[in-house]
Amino acid sequence: MRRQEDVMKRTLITLLTMGLVMVFAALAAAQANDPLPSWNEGASKQAIKQFVKDVSTKGGPRFVAPEERIAVFDNDGTLWAEQPMYFQLAFALDQVKALAPMHPEWNEKQPFKGVLENDLKAVLDGGEHALLEIVMATHAGNTTDEFSQTVKDWLTTAKHPKTGRPYTDMVYQPMLELLAFLRANGFKTYIVSGGGIEFMRPWSERVYGIPPEQVIGSSIKTKFEFRDGMPVLVRLPEINFIDDKAGKPVGINQHIGRRPIAAFGNSDGDHQMLQWTTAGSGARFALLVHHTDAEREWAYDRSSSIGHLDKALDEAQMKGWTVVNMKRDWKLIFPFEKK
Amino acid sequence: MRRQEDVMKRTLITLLTMGLVMVFAALAAAQANDPLPSWNEGASKQAIKQFVKDVSTKGGPRFVAPEERIAVFDNDGTLWAEQPMYFQLAFALDQVKALAPMHPEWNEKQPFKGVLENDLKAVLDGGEHALLEIVMATHAGNTTDEFSQTVKDWLTTAKHPKTGRPYTDMVYQPMLELLAFLRANGFKTYIVSGGGIEFMRPWSERVYGIPPEQVIGSSIKTKFEFRDGMPVLVRLPEINFIDDKAGKPVGINQHIGRRPIAAFGNSDGDHQMLQWTTAGSGARFALLVHHTDAEREWAYDRSSSIGHLDKALDEAQMKGWTVVNMKRDWKLIFPFEKK
């Protein structure tokens, strides 16, 4: 009797232990297999995973051929932060300071005077025209190769005013995971930004895994000519294309020539891109990043001039587009928060 | 003795047979392994194979990382024929006829009158302005989706005046093999054409294996708007970009954002693209298709208005760029010549 009990007890313990080991193993495996570890469980994460599963399930009713799996992402406020000012504007202001010794007249001339005196209010008082003047003075005149090098050099030294980190550290960890998850499922990921195409291309591959040919943005005109016997492309002080608002579907058509099946944005500047994407037939996905976390990032929407989100938010709620609540949906915001 | 002789004879025959079988097998394998079977052996074929081997040999002195293996191809006269007129012009003329019932005024108005009366001379007398009028009348006003469908419909019915074949049959078999060979070695292949980007995209993937996002061309402006509650892109009668001559490097930079390492063309319209490509560092390749076969295709170069090849040919000879002699270098011109 005693012997039999012992055997039963040992067997029971063994089974329990095995059971627990299996449970823990399953949990660990689930965690290791989670393609979006920085996303909290919830409707947003669920919707993304379901869409990706649907379009990549061969024979399923919502299957999409791999070559049509095009996903477009806004950049400022969607893939990286955009406060307290668009990072490209910070670059332009720094460039004004770097170029100032060659332009003594800037000391007396707005908007440059304001930049040199760190009087941002005076700069912004000049409105759109002042900003355009700054962009042209800092983004044109050189060759494409030279400009690319200037951007790379700036990124190695410039620091974000709030975090003291390089600007390319200020990317959203959950969005990096989302980009990788989509690519692992046959998607081609594109940036479609109001920002400058040549400002993003020098670092988009390193930071986002998005090659230059998959970056769409605003641009100035360039001109082919010879300098010292070598062919170069010179950047002209003339707008070529503004890739914002109704310009985004135009830019997408011009560069890709197919309608995306998924679009990701954060402001009314992305509204038409989301409308264009979701108006196609078959499985479609639209997502807005809603900046709701004043503590870890910034909180802004309808009343903000940067990242103004109003009409697109209304349509998202009406159409059932996914709206990411940064505070609730994201475990981490920036990669440097990782322990 | 007799028996021994028999054995020796049989053995000898067996060995000879085996030897012959092996020789034939080796020959067949060599032929099957030839990535460019429609190219005759010679300097052009050798130069292509050597370049591809060089850039894809890991650890070699001319190795190029796969993501930088960008190859750009002109279309008219390089990938498909361009005589007796650019095929897109044939499309435009057919469209004038198709649209004429809605435009009774065209019966009295050049250049449309000339088109309707098959008086090409009267049309061409109008010069560039007349052609622009025809392009705008036939390429604008509709949506991008409608235009794409019009191109597809045209290709199913239109026939080339000389061969009676669909225009998409008039592609060069050796160039199809070259495209496939490059892609098999990690290259991304692009079209960079003076022709319309939206005229090529509906069929480039089917015919060349080149997806729409890898087609660069001339374009008219488009506008995002709503029609019947649905977002559409409307094609405007306004030039956006001319992707020809010095415009080709500009278009390449705009769309790809990297300098190609290989460029393929056939006319002075491709000259700057070849200059731009070969001016980069590391392994570079430039090739001109020289139309020398009046019998199987057409023969033209320095004095031709279509496919005018003059300065680029001089530079090719000076710089040692590969010049394909169609008559000598190509076993077949068109796929339909295959037995």
Side-chain angles (χ1 to χ4, degrees), chain A residues 143-192:
Chain A
T143 69
T144 50
D145 286 347
E146 288 163 355
F147 183 75
S148 170
Q149 192 56 51
T150 305
V151 172
K152 283 183 200 158
D153 291 346
W154 179 74
L155 286 174
T156 62
T157 55
K159 299 275 186 286
H160 188 274
K162 184 179 160 186
T163 64
R165 299 244 169 203
Y167 284 96
T168 43
D169 279 12
M170 305 283 292
V171 295
Y172 303 134
Q173 174 64 24
M175 296 305 280
L176 296 181
E177 293 167 7
L178 176 54
L179 286 168
F181 178 48
L182 289 172
R183 289 195 290 259
N185 284 279
F187 279 78
K188 246 185 180 172
T189 53
Y190 281 82
I191 291 174
V192 179

Side-chain angles (χ1 to χ4, degrees), chain A residues 72-80 82 86-89 132 135 139 190-200 203 215-220 239-249 251-252 264-271 273:
Chain A
V72 287
F73 289 81
D74 169 58
N75 186 41
D76 298 305
T78 300
L79 293 180
W80 74 353
E82 59 184 347
Y86 294 126
F87 295 176
Q88 191 173 357
L89 180 56
L132 198 64
V135 167
H139 285 63
Y190 281 82
I191 291 174
V192 179
S193 170
I197 191 167
E198 304 258 25
F199 176 72
M200 296 178 284
W203 50 271
V215 176
I216 305 170
S218 297
S219 56
I220 58 178
I239 294 286
N240 177 57
F241 182 66
I242 300 292
D243 190 53
D244 197 28
K245 300 191 176 74
K248 290 205 173 189
I252 288 168
F264 303 82
N266 79 299
S267 80
D268 280 3
D270 307 313
H271 194 179
M273 174 168 86

